[in-house]
Amino acid sequence: MVAVADRLRRAQHVCCLIGAGISAESGIPTFRGPDGFWAGRSAFDLATPEAFARDPETVWRFCLWRRSQLVTKRPNAGHHALVAIERLVPQFTLVTQNVDGLHRAAGSANILELHGNLMVDRCTACALETQAATDGGFETIPICPECRAMMRPGVVWFGEMLSLDAIQKADAAARSCQAMLVVGTSSVVHPAAGLAEMARLHGAFTVEINPEETPLSRIMNMCIRMPAGEALPAIVEAMNSSDRG
Ligand code: BV8
Ligand code: ZN
């Protein structure tokens, strides 16, 4: 951890690319793990515009069920460690694929939510965005308060463009950072996974924090085979002790 801490300490700009694995220790299933959201389900029946057009009820039921689970979940030591790192370095960009809002709940500031946010509704007709209720109402499909059209979850489905602003800022951060932590992602979804390759290409020191190997492990400068909730606090501890000299 000391070697990673040293790299982060010396970096002007640190970028973190985050996946569902960091929220596993908050009790939120990952996607592709044995008990993940996609276990026994097809992403293409639940997370594509075609699926929503074909059967909005089923897509909404999946989303509302996830919301009902999410509202009781809290950030864990991994999320809090990212907040600490953000406050220890001159420039920090948190690029997350997660839609659970736990980084904001932990206190992270500079967050790019590449895949949107599960607690946001967007109107299918007038694009009005509203915050979803957190105290229930997980049975009814939200209707637009403005034009009465059906709302959709404010997440990015497969085959949909990411927010141009978010991906451009994430790309710029990957190109300019001196160190990138790639935490809790299987690195199979693009364009997010491409950001780690971009960082490496531009000379950043890249660290994968994941108990498992991923398709990008081979290009990383370092792989820490530990859960994020243990590795990230240990890195913060090493950064602080390097301060104490
Ligand atoms: C787009 C919906 C273009 C929201 C999600 C280039 C190459 C190949 C494919 C493509 C490409 N470009 C586009 C594609 C197609 C597609 C794609 O990438 N497909 C893949 C699967 C083959 N990409 C897209 O469609 C994207 N759109 O590019 O548009 C375009 C151009 C023109 C016109 C139109 C469009 C859109 C991508 C967003 C898709 N939406 N979800 C929702 O319902 O949540 S993505 C979905 O996977 C999740 O949202 C999640 O964010 C994402 C990534 O998953 P991970 O976070 O990595 O989670 P996973 O379970 O996979 O892994 C968890 C990891 O954690 C594991 O490695 C595990 O070991 C580890 N772990 C477990 N416990 C811990 C841990 N790590 C640390 N600590 C622990 N305790
Ligand atoms: Zn509307």
Side-chain angles (χ1 to χ4, degrees):
M1 296 312 172
V2 172
V4 176
D6 181 46
R7 286 283 181 164
L8 298 186
R9 261 274 168 246
R10 282 189 285 129
Q12 165 59 31
H13 182 186
V14 171
C15 182
C16 290
L17 176 60
I18 310 291
I22 198 170
S23 296
E25 292 158 90
S26 292
I28 300 176
T30 61
F31 288 88
R32 296 167 183 84
D35 56 356
F37 281 126
W38 299 147
R41 296 185 183 92
S42 152
F44 298 102
D45 292 336
L46 293 166
T48 63
E50 295 75 14
F52 187 68
R54 187 174 55 245
D55 184 357
E57 182 90 19
T58 299
V59 172
W60 261 116
R61 234 190 347 268
F62 177 57
C63 171
L64 291 167
W65 168 70
R66 287 172 62 192
R67 280 185 184 170
S68 68
Q69 308 280 308
L70 183 54
V71 290
T72 60
K73 303 297 185 289
R74 297 288 170 266
N76 64 59
H79 296 99
H80 292 301
L82 290 176
V83 176
I85 294 171
E86 181 166 21
R87 293 171 182 168
L88 283 171
V89 298
Q91 191 183 353
F92 183 90
T93 306
L94 178 55
V95 180
T96 190
Q97 301 171 86
N98 297 348
V99 296
D100 58 30
L102 291 186
H103 297 297
R104 190 162 288 105
S108 289
N110 189 20
I111 307 170
L112 297 173
E113 289 180 319
L114 293 186
H115 296 165
N117 188 305
L118 194 67
M119 299 309 286
V120 167
D121 291 335
R122 188 167 63 243
C123 178
T124 55
C126 72
L128 174 82
E129 287 203 349
T130 57
Q131 278 298 320
T134 53
D135 55 355
F138 301 118
E139 298 75 31
T140 40
I141 295 180
I143 298 298
C144 178
E146 287 294 316
C147 73
R148 314 304 303 160
M150 178 165 52
M151 304 291 266
R152 60 159 283 177
V155 297
V156 179
W157 284 322
F158 288 101
E160 287 192 311
M161 292 287 276
L162 280 63
S163 135
L164 211 52
D165 180 58
I167 195 64
Q168 282 174 340
K169 283 179 180 160
D171 187 67
R175 290 168 185 269
S176 66
C177 69
Q178 288 75 41
M180 176 180 271
L181 302 182
V182 182
V183 186
T185 180
S186 57
S187 293
V188 297
V189 174
H190 288 264
L195 296 167
E197 293 166 288
M198 181 68 77
R200 185 89 175 87
L201 213 62
H202 282 72
F205 186 80
T206 52
V207 183
E208 180 178 73
I209 297 176
N210 191 330
E212 317 259 328
E213 206 170 303
T214 75
L216 294 192
S217 300
R218 58 180 171 69
I219 68 160
M220 296 289 160
N221 293 103
M222 192 183 281
C223 292
I224 299 175
R225 293 285 170 246
M226 285 169 70
E230 286 170 38
L232 289 169
I235 290 168
V236 171
E237 174 58 32
M239 288 176 81
N240 286 325
S241 51
S242 74
D243 258 5
R244 292 190 287 270

